[in-house]
Amino acid sequence: MTTADRFRALHERPEPFLLPNPWDAGTARLLAHLGFPALATTSLGVANVVGRTRATRAEILANCREIVEATPLPVNADLENGFADDPAEAAKMIDAAADAGVVGASIEDHTGDSRNPIYEFGLAVDRVRAAVETARARSVVLTARCENLWLGADTLADTIRRLQAYEEAGADVLYAPGLRTLEEIRAVVTSVGKPVNVVMGFADPSITLEQLAEIGVRRISIGAALSRLALKSFMDGAREMRAGRFGFVAELPPISELQQAFE
């Protein structure tokens, strides 16, 4: 079974699978060591590494290759909007990510323009259709993302309308960042026929894996939450050091634990 086949098969299981988001080779190897079945990149995590609010196309592709090469696990790539408005141009990002070794990729309908944050409906669907064509040619699982909820640009009803259109355009997985409650997640899952990815970086943290499984969620990611958690620990330690205290060193993981994962 190829890596692409293994990744596709994870979406066909009766129970959901966890898809964590590393941001470099080290975090990828740690997650593989912990037994996760697949990994996903995070564009915000890459931006955090380079110290900017957004990473470049080249930086995201380089990060895809780094994470692919770090472990034998399947990798899904967060490609933002493909770094292009035109459907055919955006789809080229999927081709480039496949060259880097990923077996899954997402395309989103966020324009990157705060004045007009979501692509017009028809253009958004055309972009998914073009992405699907490229993804199928490269044996890549294509995730179509509707971004309007977390951007506050529209309603749950419009999110569902868009996801249904993306499903009809051929997307393999559907994803709407910004779903916060179990009721909202259930409304999406029951409105479409393709696997749904839920990102718990936005959702009510009291929701459990068991609850998500009961309503039919197939994939659960975390976005840049682990990156942000790591940076919080870094900042907390740095602030403590700046104040002349070093209590944080008592909470460090043993070097041997890290090296065991990196061997």
Side-chain angles (χ1 to χ4, degrees):
M1 182 180 288
T2 68
T3 305
D5 290 337
R6 284 163 44 211
F7 188 57
R8 192 172 295 276
L10 288 171
H11 297 81
E12 298 168 353
R13 304 188 311 181
E15 69 278 1
F17 72 99
L18 297 167
L19 186 67
N21 303 75
W23 55 92
D24 59 13
T27 51
R29 290 183 182 130
L30 287 170
L31 291 168
H33 182 70
L34 291 172
F36 288 96
L39 303 173
T41 69
T42 161
S43 63
L44 179 55
V46 179
N48 290 341
V49 168
V50 298
R52 296 196 305 276
T53 57
R54 191 185 186 195
T56 65
R57 183 182 191 274
E59 288 165 343
I60 284 177
L61 290 172
N63 180 255
C64 287
R65 188 175 301 278
E66 178 182 6
I67 291 177
V68 166
E69 292 176 352
T71 84
L73 297 179
V75 175
N76 185 85
D78 171 3
L79 303 179
E80 298 194 350
N81 70 344
F83 289 81
D85 299 327
D86 177 75
E89 288 300 312
K92 290 180 180 178
M93 185 70 169
I94 296 170
D95 214 21
D99 287 342
V102 307
V103 294
S106 64
I107 189 78
E108 61 190 48
D109 56 13
H110 176 29
T111 65
D113 180 353
S114 60
R115 297 166 299 178
N116 184 31
I118 301 295
Y119 287 110
E120 178 273 326
F121 182 84
L123 176 57
V125 174
D126 287 344
R127 285 165 46 82
V128 172
R129 191 174 291 114
V132 166
E133 183 177 351
T134 299
R136 287 181 178 170
R138 299 301 304 270
S139 298
V140 168
V141 174
L142 192 283
T143 299
R145 295 176 42 151
C146 178
E147 305 289 305
N148 58 12
L149 285 178
W150 79 268
L151 290 168
D154 221 310
T155 64
L156 180 60
D158 188 60
T159 295
I160 291 173
R161 170 177 173 254
R162 285 174 174 264
L163 292 177
Q164 288 172 335
Y166 301 164
E167 177 180 11
E168 187 174 349
D172 300 301
V173 181
L174 303 168
Y175 181 6
L179 296 172
R180 302 186 185 279
T181 69
L182 203 59
E183 290 70 28
E184 289 176 341
I185 297 168
R186 182 185 289 108
V188 167
V189 171
T190 58
S191 297
V192 297
K194 293 291 180 68
V196 171
N197 181 102
V198 168
V199 57
M200 287 303 295
F202 288 96
D204 176 356
S206 69
I207 296 173
T208 66
L209 174 62
E210 291 75 16
Q211 289 174 312
L212 293 171
E214 286 175 2
I215 63 173
V217 172
R218 284 290 168 265
R219 195 173 88 185
I220 302 160
S221 61
I222 200 71
L226 290 174
S227 169
R228 292 163 61 194
L229 178 65
L231 290 176
K232 178 185 183 300
S233 295
F234 175 90
M235 292 297 292
D236 287 347
R239 289 189 179 103
E240 189 174 347
M241 180 179 177
R242 185 68 181 83
R245 297 187 299 275
F246 307 94
F248 62 91
V249 300
E251 302 176 7
L252 300 180
I255 293 175
S256 59
E257 181 180 344
L258 299 177
Q259 290 180 337
Q260 184 179 6
F262 296 156
E263 287 178 351

